[in-house]
Amino acid sequence: MIETFSTRSLEARDKLDYWNDLIGATWSGLVVDPLHPAFEARLSRWQLGELTMSRPTSAAAVVARRMEQHLLPPRQKLLVHIVNSGECRFHQRGRELFLREGDMAVCAAEDYYRFDIQIPHEILIVELDRECLLSRLSDIDDHVARRISGQSLGARMVHRYVQALWEEARSPDGAGVAPTYSSVLADLIAASLDNAEEAGTVAPDPLFRRACEVIDANLCEPELSPSLIASALNVPLRTLQAAAARAETTLGATITARRLQLAARRLRRNPQETITAIAFDCGFTDSAYFARRFQQQFGLSPSQYRSRH
């Protein structure tokens, strides 16, 4: 049965507190900070077998998960977000994704994450146990915080199937939406992730893409700098900086973000390696600076991140 919650009938002074209580109870640690005083929001949710389906709609806001100090729950959750309308920026695990209508991204529910949403929006969310997808896709953690383009076949199929399930659930005989459909949906999600090329954060600008290739090939070099990248590509530094600006970033920020992503992978996959060694191997020359930047990007210290993954 679909449950629906809305701020519409509440006094203006009560709307945000009500919404934060609701959202925090639905997704632990989540907090909403609206960008405009006139805030309205609506949430529909229902259980489909072992999956939880949610459909939040709201005005512009920043939505972020506060980090909690307790240990990870025994059954970790993944949240599959599909932008049904609007657009947003999604931040998790050192990545920043720009998601448009139809795009899909998987979020680790117990990690720090943030959505920056500048316009009214609606998102379709499928919540499921991590083990559910891990049994279908052994490298599921590598697909977290990666954008799957709404133009890809897999994302389109998942989007249409989720929309169809919502329509059936709202129909007079909606009780007939069988829990077995949850297994079909999990199969579709896993297939779409397994077969999709990552759309990522890189803009289609060919020069910036080439710059990112140089960065990825030289991440472990402490001397890597914007001027060295420009020299390697044989282009003026100002031209390369302009290409990065068109991608709404800077070369320095791109270098740091990709180093942090590499460090996070090393922390997950090499539990015996020291954090200092990982920092130096990923191009950082100061372990304290590395720890501060890692905390800013992931909401956890490197040691906390390792213990959770």
Side-chain angles (χ1 to χ4, degrees):
M1 181 180 71
I2 294 179
E3 299 177 283
T4 300
F5 309 87
S6 175
T7 61
R8 185 170 298 278
S9 62
L10 300 176
E11 295 290 338
R13 66 178 180 273
D14 298 327
K15 291 179 185 293
L16 184 57
D17 286 344
Y18 168 81
W19 189 249
N20 269 320
D21 287 345
L22 173 65
I23 292 300
T26 304
W27 298 288
S28 177
L30 210 59
V31 177
V32 177
D33 183 15
L35 300 185
H36 306 293
F39 179 74
E40 294 289 352
R42 184 174 183 271
L43 172 68
S44 298
R45 68 186 183 199
W46 59 296
Q47 197 73 27
L48 177 68
E50 296 183 351
L51 311 185
T52 302
M53 311 278 284
S54 302
R55 192 168 188 158
T57 303
S58 85
V62 175
V63 182
R65 183 179 189 273
R66 295 176 301 194
M67 291 311 303
E68 300 166 330
Q69 297 305 313
H70 58 68
L71 296 176
L72 284 175
R75 299 180 67 181
Q76 298 172 46
K77 299 288 186 178
L78 294 176
L79 305 174
V80 180
H81 291 79
I82 307 165
V83 181
N84 204 39
S85 65
E87 57 188 37
C88 61
R89 290 189 180 276
F90 171 56
H91 307 258
Q92 188 171 61
R93 295 189 175 178
R95 293 177 177 270
E96 178 182 354
L97 313 179
F98 182 51
L99 304 177
R100 299 180 176 85
E101 185 172 327
D103 288 349
M104 184 172 77
V106 177
C107 169
E110 286 80 26
D111 286 6
Y112 168 80
Y113 60 90
R114 186 177 83 247
F115 285 90
D116 296 327
I117 309 166
Q118 300 293 320
I119 60 175
H121 67 284
E122 181 177 70
I123 297 180
L124 305 175
I125 303 175
V126 180
E127 178 179 347
L128 67 170
D129 287 342
R130 174 179 172 274
E131 292 297 325
C132 179
L133 286 182
L134 184 62
S135 65
R136 294 168 165 83
L137 197 61
S138 61
D139 62 344
I140 183 58
D141 290 321
D142 291 336
H143 297 276
V144 171
R146 295 177 182 271
R147 172 179 167 254
I148 304 301
S149 171
Q151 301 302 311
S152 67
L153 175 62
R156 292 202 310 271
M157 291 179 67
V158 173
H159 192 182
R160 290 169 181 168
Y161 189 69
V162 170
Q163 288 176 317
L165 288 174
W166 275 102
E167 293 304 316
E168 289 301 321
R170 286 171 170 160
S171 67
D173 58 347
V177 177
T180 53
Y181 291 153
S182 63
S183 179
V184 176
L185 178 53
D187 288 340
L188 281 175
I189 291 171
S192 69
L193 296 174
D194 193 30
N195 293 301
E197 294 184 3
E198 182 191 358
T201 60
V202 179
D205 186 300
L207 180 56
F208 185 61
R209 185 180 295 115
R210 289 170 56 207
C212 288
E213 291 171 355
V214 173
I215 291 171
D216 288 341
N218 296 276
L219 275 180
C220 299
E221 299 298 330
E223 299 82 11
L224 182 64
S225 67
S227 58
L228 287 178
I229 299 169
S231 177
L233 294 175
N234 196 28
V235 298
L237 177 57
R238 286 184 178 273
T239 301
L240 196 56
Q241 289 171 329
R246 288 192 293 274
E248 301 183 358
T249 188
T250 66
L251 294 169
T254 302
I255 293 170
T256 300
R258 287 174 178 252
R259 280 176 170 163
L260 290 170
Q261 291 163 16
L262 176 61
R265 290 197 297 271
R266 294 277 290 273
L267 286 167
R268 295 197 301 270
R269 297 175 180 177
N270 303 302
Q272 304 306 317
E273 194 171 11
T274 68
I275 291 172
T276 298
I278 289 175
F280 290 159
D281 286 348
C282 293
F284 292 94
T285 57
D286 183 332
S287 59
Y289 172 76
F290 162 72
R292 288 197 303 274
R293 294 307 303 267
F294 194 95
Q295 176 90 36
Q296 291 170 356
Q297 289 291 334
F298 293 91
L300 293 168
S301 69
S303 58
Q304 290 171 329
Y305 183 91
R306 168 175 273 169
S307 68
R308 284 172 170 256
H309 295 83

